[in-house]
């Protein structure tokens, strides 16, 4: 079912660091939707995966990751997205094989901005947490807003 609502910044802030299912539950409460949360979450997941099929490589991404790899600088992808969304995000990227360390909301109890996922990545990379940097590859909130706006009755 298509919804057509726009996510206000106050609602978007509540989505940070939670799963897609929890996002849907918050949106349901906020907008008064009555559909099943799991069904809506699956619908959102399918929408996101379809949307991500058209994501183009950002200019310079391959060169940046090649350089980081050649310099032996430890790096990882750290995302609040689920593993299947990360896989869909990377599917068409020519540099996806350079990302040997990927961490998602599936790996920790609490997602970003809580430090859990960063600490896990730093531990896996065997670097001090203060030396760890995030490479932001996609924004779940933007995708969720686009999904919500495309929904119609």
């Amino acid at each position: 079912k298509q919804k057509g609502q726009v996510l206000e910044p106050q609602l978007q802030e509540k989505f940070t660091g939670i799963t897609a299912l929890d996002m849907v539950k918050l949106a349901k409460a906020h907008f008064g939707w009555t559909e099943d949360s799991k069904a809506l979450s699956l619908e959102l997941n399918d929408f996101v995966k379809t949307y991500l099929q058209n994501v183009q490589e950002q200019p310079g991404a391959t060169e940046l990751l090649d350089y980081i790899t050649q310099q032996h600088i430890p790096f990882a992808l750290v995302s609040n997205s689920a593993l299947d969304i990360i896989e869909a995000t990377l599917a068409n990227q020519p540099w996806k094989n350079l990302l040997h360390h990927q961490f998602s909301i599936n790996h920790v109890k609490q997602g970003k901005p809580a430090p859990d996922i960063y600490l896990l990545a730093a531990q896996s990379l065997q670097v001090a947490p203060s030396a760890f940097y995030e490479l932001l590859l996609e924004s779940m909130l933007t995708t969720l807003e686009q999904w919500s706006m495309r929904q119609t009755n």
Side-chain angles (χ1 to χ4, degrees):
K1 227 176 162 184
Q2 297 180 342
K3 302 290 178 204
Q5 281 92 4
V6 176
L7 297 174
E8 300 90 11
Q10 304 92 313
L11 183 58
Q12 285 183 1
E13 289 175 18
K14 294 178 182 178
F15 289 169
T16 302
I18 63 173
T19 65
L21 180 59
D22 288 336
M23 282 189 240
V24 167
K25 288 176 181 178
L26 281 175
K28 277 183 60 175
H30 182 81
F31 293 117
W33 299 341
T34 57
E35 295 91 335
D36 178 69
S37 295
K38 287 186 180 183
L40 285 173
S41 181
L42 291 172
E43 184 181 334
L44 171 61
N45 198 342
D46 289 344
F47 172 82
V48 170
K49 287 180 180 178
T50 300
Y51 173 79
L52 292 171
Q53 290 175 357
N54 299 316
V55 172
Q56 301 296 313
E57 176 186 10
Q58 292 296 310
T62 299
E63 295 80 4
L64 173 63
L65 292 173
D66 279 339
Y67 176 80
I68 291 171
T69 301
Q70 290 167 4
Q71 298 300 311
H72 305 288
I73 299 170
F75 68 99
L77 181 144
V78 176
S79 176
N80 273 347
S81 294
L83 288 171
D84 61 335
I85 298 298
I86 292 173
E87 290 171 10
T89 302
L90 299 177
N92 297 324
Q93 301 304 320
W95 42 262
K96 67 182 175 188
N97 293 329
L98 295 174
L99 291 174
H100 302 292
H101 303 279
Q102 300 171 23
F103 301 92
S104 81
I105 191 96
N106 299 101
H107 293 106
V108 293
K109 288 184 180 180
Q110 188 175 4
K112 299 185 289 183
D116 306 22
I117 198 165
Y118 298 107
L119 294 172
L120 177 63
Q123 179 183 16
S124 176
L125 294 171
Q126 298 179 343
V127 298
S130 60
F132 185 72
Y133 296 92
E134 173 186 7
L135 179 58
L136 180 61
L137 298 176
E138 56 91 15
S139 169
M140 186 64 184
L141 289 178
T142 300
T143 305
L144 182 62
E145 182 172 319
Q146 291 171 350
W147 171 76
S148 178
M149 290 175 57
R150 290 185 186 181
Q151 304 299 303
T152 61
N153 294 327

